Each structure stands twice: as structure tokens, then as C-alpha cells.
Amino acid sequence: MRSFWGFFILILLGLGIASVIVFHSFSSEEQLVEDDEQQGINDQIIIKFSHVVAENTPKGLAAQRFARLVEEYTEHRVKVEVYPNQSLYSDGEEIKALQRNEVQLIAPATSKITELSHKWQLLDLPFIFPNAAALKEALTGEVGVELLKALEEQQIKGLSFWSNNFKQITSNSPIRHPSDLSGKSFRIMSSKVLEEQFEHFGATTSITGFNDTFKNLEKNRQDSQENTITNINSKKLYQVQKYMTISDHGYLGYAVMVNKPFWDDLPGDIQTDIQKAMDETSNWLWLKSEEMNKQQMQEIKAKSNIKIYTLSESEKREWMEEMTVVYEQFEPSIGKDLMDRMQKIRQKYIR
């Protein structure tokens, strides 16, 4: 009898312990789910940001800075994943990938956007920006607003302009006058304006991806190209070119663009925080890109044998007078009103 009650008590004790364990596990699970909801662990928004240049370029550094600011301002509700050096898409693929929402954010060179809107041909016109002050006034004012607005027809929202600075010319023979362009074979980005600005003076052009430029110059498929100092430096183009002309003839910058349906679905406070991070990054980059181009010019001089020639003021006026002949050809597609507004800004800064 005593053994029966002992066994019975052991059974009751086991049932009690099991009940406590089950209750504790259930309570812990409920608490974990509640904590997850409170912290938004499963609700973090991921933005894939694809670009095609190196991380140590103005655009590459700006992308990293922007990603950090977004995480900070949204308190980690949004994470921007940056994919540099065309690790996701090439510069010929990224716009279509954005429209398909395979990536949410890109920052292509403005020349690439002329395929989406002819208004953007304005930014490729040679010497349309006489200096950095004219450039900033245009892109941060009404001209920039109109250009970004034009993207919405393509289900793209333009967030900002990122500056890289002005373009210079490299070649395998000296170029000091527009007539020296004759017979040259230029690597260009996809743009009717860039094509015309060289072919008008007897050069031939071919469209080549940025990351293929070094190889094509090395193999003499082209003998000349135009680019900013930071891009010339980052891709070591000075190793396969003998001469550089400091001309400041054209602008190279980027438009930061987001898939519009994706953007429209974001909560309003998230949009505000992302735009704040974008505006801060853009303002920082105006100064940083100029600083980097100056610094990397010194690096190129120190580590290469490329011969560098800077156009004199009289030579630059010669280039401006001759190259602006293409303006009339592109005014109908850009739009007279937009051209007139840009010309007013331009005239303010021409010396």
C-alpha cells in the first residue's frame, strides 16, 4: 500500500513539473513574438542600390555615406545594400532592372538618361555649364526640378543629382584645338549629343561600357575618351593614354533614381528620412567631388608619364564658340523653354 501511494505521488509530481514547463514555454513564445513585433525585426525595408563605379570614387563614397545616414535616420527600419562596380548590373542594364524593381535605387550617369527623356540631352551639351557655380544653380533650381520630374512618366522618381565634376579629354596624340579631334576614335557613353559633339569635328565614336574602357583603349579599339579626373584615376586610364587635355568641356554627374511604385508604397515618414539622407549626401558631394578631382589630378601627375595640357582662356573661348554649334540641333528635342532658362543661367557666368 505504501509503495502504491509513493508511486501515485511521483505521478502527480511529474504532471506538475510538466505543466510548469509547458506554461513557461508557451509564455516565452508569446513574449518572443510580442518583442519581435515591437522591435520590427521582420519589418526592416531593404533597398538594393546598384552602381557601376569603384567604391573610392565620388559616387562610390556618396553611396556608402547615404546608406549609413538612412539607417541612422530611420533607426534601422531601412537598410540600404550597396552593390558597387557593376556587381549586380552593368551600366547598360541597370535602368531596366530598376523599372522591373529588381533593384530599388541606381545612380546612372546623366548621359544614360537621355534614352528615357530627351530633355536630359541638355546636360550633355558642350560648355553648357561655364563653371561649377552655373552647374549648381541649374541642378538645384528649376532646371533640375523639371529634369527629375520628367522621369515619372517612366515609373521612376528622381531623388537628387550627384556631381562628379567636369570632363577632360585623353588621347594618344595631342588635342589642343577642336580641329585636332579629326580622325580620332572616341569612347563615349550612349548619347546623341556626345556622338554629335565629336563627329561634327571629324572624329568617330563608339559606345563602350565604363568597365570595358581600359581594355578597349589598351587594345587600340579606340584611341581617345572623355571623363572626369576621378574616373580616369580609378580605372587607371592614364596607363593606356599618352595625352590629357584639361578642357572642362562637359559635365559628368549622376541622377539618383528610385523605382516609383516602390517609393510610393513607403510610409511617409520613411520617405522623409530617406530624402533627408539624400539631401545631406548631395550637399556633401558638391564639395567632396571637387576636392577629390583636384587631389587625384596630383596623384596622376605623380605616378604617371601622361602629358597634361590645360587650355588657355583664349583656347577655351575658341572651343566654346565652335562646339556650341550643336545647340541649335538639339533645342527642338530638349524644348525651347528649358533651353532658354538654361541659357539665362549660362550667360551669367560666361567671362
Side-chain angles (χ1 to χ4, degrees), residues 173-303:
S173 60
I175 296 177
R176 296 188 179 184
H177 306 279
S179 59
D180 294 330
L181 298 173
S182 180
K184 299 292 189 296
S185 172
F186 267 85
R187 176 268 173 185
I188 63 168
M189 291 182 285
S190 178
S191 165
K192 294 294 184 184
V193 177
L194 301 184
E195 184 179 314
E196 181 62 24
Q197 80 173 2
F198 291 119
E199 294 188 356
H200 180 83
F201 295 99
T204 59
T205 60
S206 55
I207 298 165
T208 305
F210 178 58
N211 286 322
D212 293 324
T213 301
F214 181 97
K215 178 177 63 179
N216 284 1
L217 292 171
E218 183 181 38
K219 295 181 179 299
N220 294 315
R221 292 170 184 160
Q222 293 111 22
D223 57 34
S224 308
Q225 65 90 44
E226 58 169 4
N227 234 307
T228 59
I229 294 299
T230 54
N231 283 351
I232 291 168
N233 189 47
S234 71
K235 290 300 180 185
K236 298 181 172 57
L237 301 184
Y238 53 81
Q239 293 182 353
V240 289
Q241 298 273 263
K242 296 177 181 177
Y243 297 89
M244 182 191 301
T245 303
I246 305 302
S247 56
D248 290 343
H249 66 282
Y251 164 68
L252 176 56
Y254 313 102
V256 189
M257 313 189 308
V258 63
N259 177 280
K260 190 173 185 300
F262 172 82
W263 177 264
D264 291 342
D265 283 343
L266 293 175
D269 61 326
I270 292 290
Q271 291 180 353
T272 299
D273 289 337
I274 291 174
Q275 189 66 61
K276 179 183 176 183
M278 179 59 64
D279 292 344
E280 284 194 24
T281 303
S282 302
N283 290 335
W284 170 83
L285 191 56
W286 281 110
L287 297 175
K288 187 65 176 178
S289 62
E290 186 172 352
E291 171 193 316
M292 288 183 68
N293 275 270
K294 288 179 180 177
Q295 174 193 341
Q296 293 187 32
M297 169 61 87
Q298 297 307 312
E299 291 180 17
I300 290 173
K301 289 179 178 178
K303 64 189 177 185

Side-chain angles (χ1 to χ4, degrees), residues 131-157:
N131 55 32
L135 172 65
K136 190 168 186 179
E137 180 175 338
L139 296 189
T140 60
E142 292 181 359
V143 170
V145 169
E146 182 169 342
L147 290 173
L148 293 177
K149 184 77 173 172
L151 298 175
E152 295 188 7
E153 298 175 4
Q154 304 292 332
Q155 292 301 298
I156 292 170
K157 180 174 175 59

Side-chain angles (χ1 to χ4, degrees), residues 1 21 25 46-47 73 136 152 192 210 292 304 348:
M1 188 69 177
I21 291 171
S25 299
I46 303 297
I47 296 177
Y73 293 155
K136 190 168 186 179
E152 295 188 7
K192 294 294 184 184
F210 178 58
M292 288 183 68
S304 80
K348 282 172 56 179

